[in-house]
Amino acid sequence: MANWVPLWLHRLSSPPVFYRFAGAVRPWALGLALLLGGVALYGGLFVAPADYQQGDAYRIIFIHVPSAWMSLFIYGAMAIAAFIGLVWRIKLAETVAMESAPVGAAFTLITLVTGSLWGKPMWGTWWTWDARLTSELVLLFIYLGIVGLYHSFEDRRQGARAASFLVLVGAVNVPIVHFSVNWWNTLHQGSTVRLLGPSHIDASMLWPLLTMMAATKLYYVASLFARVRADFIVAESGKGWVRDLALNTPGNDAA
Amino acid sequence: MTPGSTPAACAALLRRDLTLAWRRRGDIAMPVLYAVIVATLFPFALGPEPALLARIAGGVVLVTVVLAILLSLDNLFRGDIEDGSMELLMLAPQPLALLVGVKILAHWIVSSLPLIVVAPLLASMLKLPAPAMPVLVATLALATPLLCLLGAILVALTAESRRSGMLLALMLLPLCVPVVIFAAGAVAAAQDGLPWVAPVAWLGAGLVLALVLAPLACAAALRIAMDS
């Protein structure tokens, strides 16, 4: 087998190469995310039938559930990147971990806000101290702690390493959030979509949900790549490739 | 103990930290004073009705103790980093995790033992029923070292950063949530005459896990923070 895959990955971890790669991928990811998101919203808001029990109010799941998935998925991705960054000291992995945190925090906030908007008509309350809700709130605090720790250091890479360590320490919370619905039977409903086995949800409601899930993943990629590009420009501002980038005419830059 | 051996080094470090704390006895009283003041604010804020106070006494004492520990944690490594003895500890032939563990033990003795002693007094001020009192002390005896160990990791991470006080609270809160849940659950169960062994056992399990892992994590975090 050819060893071009590790070679390509190795080259990709260099900031100028990744900058160009991310610049090429980002518009496609963002465009596809908007397209799929639009299709999913149309499917969820107009095509899917009203729920027999919750009426039209259930439609907020097309925002709420994909955001909740992303809040955990991004933490997982961030933890893997943080581990790689701490062990092999790859600058790209550290940057990816640190720039994932604000995106993850945003999705967690969306989950909490849409959840409380949904909770008011369904449960009659904006907020309750339910295990799922509380652990999601704690997840938001973890994200904010990571962002705060990263920015409290003078030296960016030192801050990235310290915050990466906090990512790994805080990872104990992720399984608690994930399983909280099964472990504590409180107000929040159990999971209805299964990876293995049949889902407890009608196909007409499932496809917009899964499409929105793909859209949020792509949006994460687009947002992350934009953030990483900006971060590299700041971190490498003394390097030659950034100077070339800045001095070139806009139509001729590396992106 | 032969001088220079690992047990001798740990004993010397423990003696040094305790001596340093004893020379500044006023600082030891601070967390206790803080806990007393915060706990007395609750009857003023909520009204002096005994039934209500008895209902919340366990939780109030726990939260007060968590806050007092949070405040005291800030100077766990600060003095050592400022005067350079942390570098010497890192260069010592003994494993850093062990020495850090000894430092955390010294900090627990100085900051948390007085809190455990004063906790029954606070709880009785808040009209906690007598049968729940031993359970409160038992949960505190398990929860305070657990909080010190978890907090020490975060203090080590923020050791070299510019602003750490508020940040420490933000980072410690997610980690201390399970501790508070189990500790308060045990006290509430004892208050209602229900079995309270299970949450205390969970606290014990958490403490054992933290005793093994936290000093290692703390040492790694210190190495990251002191890298530059």
Side-chain angles (χ1 to χ4, degrees):
Chain A
M1 186 188 131
N3 62 352
W4 62 270
V5 174
L7 197 67
W8 181 73
L9 282 176
H10 190 74
R11 277 183 40 119
L12 192 61
S13 67
S14 139
V17 176
F18 189 83
Y19 182 88
R20 262 175 266 129
F21 170 77
V25 169
R26 200 186 76 84
W28 290 97
L30 189 61
L32 212 53
L34 292 177
L35 184 72
L36 286 179
V39 170
L41 275 184
Y42 178 76
L45 297 185
F46 297 107
V47 177
D51 189 67
Y52 77 99
Q53 206 178 3
Q54 303 190 357
D56 276 330
Y58 91 97
R59 292 182 195 277
I60 205 163
I61 59 166
F62 298 115
I63 304 287
H64 176 73
V65 174
S67 308
W69 282 337
M70 286 311 285
S71 70
L72 290 178
F73 174 85
I74 293 179
Y75 200 95
M78 184 171 70
I80 293 169
F83 182 78
I84 293 172
L86 276 179
V87 173
W88 289 286
R89 306 236 164 162
I90 296 171
K91 197 185 287 176
L92 174 63
E94 288 171 6
T95 311
V96 165
M98 288 307 104
E99 296 304 331
S100 290
V103 188
F107 274 114
T108 312
L109 191 64
I110 291 172
T111 308
L112 286 167
V113 170
T114 55
S116 80
L117 287 178
W118 193 10
K120 185 63 183 169
M122 288 304 117
W123 302 336
T125 173
W126 297 105
W127 177 261
T128 172
W129 293 96
D130 156 90
R132 191 80 206 254
L133 276 62
T134 317
S135 54
E136 190 75 13
L137 182 65
V138 167
L139 184 65
L140 179 65
F141 289 147
I142 297 181
Y143 273 123
L144 295 181
I146 291 160
V147 175
L149 185 61
Y150 176 48
H151 290 292
S152 72
F153 280 81
E154 296 285 350
D155 182 75
R156 299 171 70 90
R157 292 204 67 183
Q158 199 188 358
R161 271 205 298 284
S164 297
F165 198 81
L166 182 61
V167 171
L168 296 184
V169 174
V172 287
N173 188 54
V174 172
I176 297 179
V177 180
H178 185 74
F179 293 111
S180 57
V181 168
N182 305 342
W183 289 347
W184 293 284
N185 245 327
T186 43
L187 210 48
H188 198 285
Q189 68 192 62
S191 63
T192 41
V193 181
R194 302 271 165 81
L195 268 184
L196 306 167
S199 301
H200 303 297
I201 182 170
D202 193 70
S204 62
M205 299 174 183
L206 185 59
W207 76 260
L209 203 56
L210 294 181
T211 313
M212 188 56 105
M213 191 182 78
T216 48
K217 293 262 192 313
L218 285 166
Y219 175 77
Y220 165 55
V221 170
S223 172
L224 176 68
F225 279 12
R227 301 188 69 92
V228 170
R229 273 161 62 96
D231 190 88
F232 275 158
I233 294 274
V234 177
E236 308 251 301
S237 53
K239 300 276 175 66
W241 70 272
V242 178
R243 198 187 55 226
D244 291 346
L245 203 69
L247 293 178
N248 278 355
T249 50
N252 194 24
D253 68 11
Chain B
M1 279 189 287
T2 43
S5 68
T6 305
C10 291
L13 185 59
L14 185 64
R15 202 161 50 239
R16 162 185 177 271
D17 274 13
L18 291 180
T19 312
L20 280 175
W22 186 246
R23 296 274 158 79
R24 298 169 55 182
R25 289 180 282 275
D27 288 5
I28 303 181
M30 281 303 173
V32 173
L33 258 176
Y34 176 82
V36 171
I37 290 165
V38 171
T40 44
L41 280 180
F42 280 89
F44 289 120
L46 298 169
E49 191 195 335
L52 173 71
L53 290 181
R55 189 73 225 120
I56 60 164
V60 167
V61 172
L62 271 168
V63 171
T64 309
V65 166
V66 169
L67 292 177
I69 288 180
L70 183 66
L71 282 185
S72 72
L73 272 174
D74 199 41
N75 48 22
L76 176 52
F77 299 121
R78 179 133 311 175
D80 281 351
I81 289 175
E82 275 169 5
D83 68 7
S85 29
M86 187 50 80
E87 268 100 346
L88 293 179
L89 286 183
M90 294 175 100
L91 292 172
Q94 285 79 23
L96 180 61
L98 194 65
L99 298 177
V100 165
V102 170
K103 281 196 70 67
I104 298 171
L105 172 67
H107 184 261
W108 178 76
I109 293 171
V110 169
S111 70
S112 303
L113 266 186
L115 283 174
I116 297 176
V117 171
V118 84
L121 181 71
L122 294 180
S124 62
M125 265 166 56
L126 295 169
K127 311 275 191 279
L128 186 78
M133 209 66 89
V135 181
L136 178 72
V137 175
T139 54
L140 282 179
L142 291 173
T144 51
L146 189 47
L147 287 169
C148 284
L149 285 163
L150 292 175
I153 304 174
L154 305 177
V155 176
L157 280 177
T158 55
E160 284 281 276
S161 78
R162 279 178 283 122
R163 47 191 156 90
S164 56
M166 292 302 228
L167 195 57
L168 191 61
L170 183 60
M171 296 191 304
L172 186 63
L173 176 76
L175 293 180
C176 73
V177 164
V179 181
V180 171
I181 288 175
F182 286 126
V187 175
Q191 219 167 334
D192 296 340
L194 297 169
W196 44 266
V197 178
V200 173
W202 272 107
L203 278 181
L207 177 58
V208 171
L209 195 66
L211 272 176
V212 177
L213 293 180
L216 293 169
C218 198
L222 271 175
R223 285 192 204 282
I224 289 172
M226 305 281 292
D227 217 13
S228 59

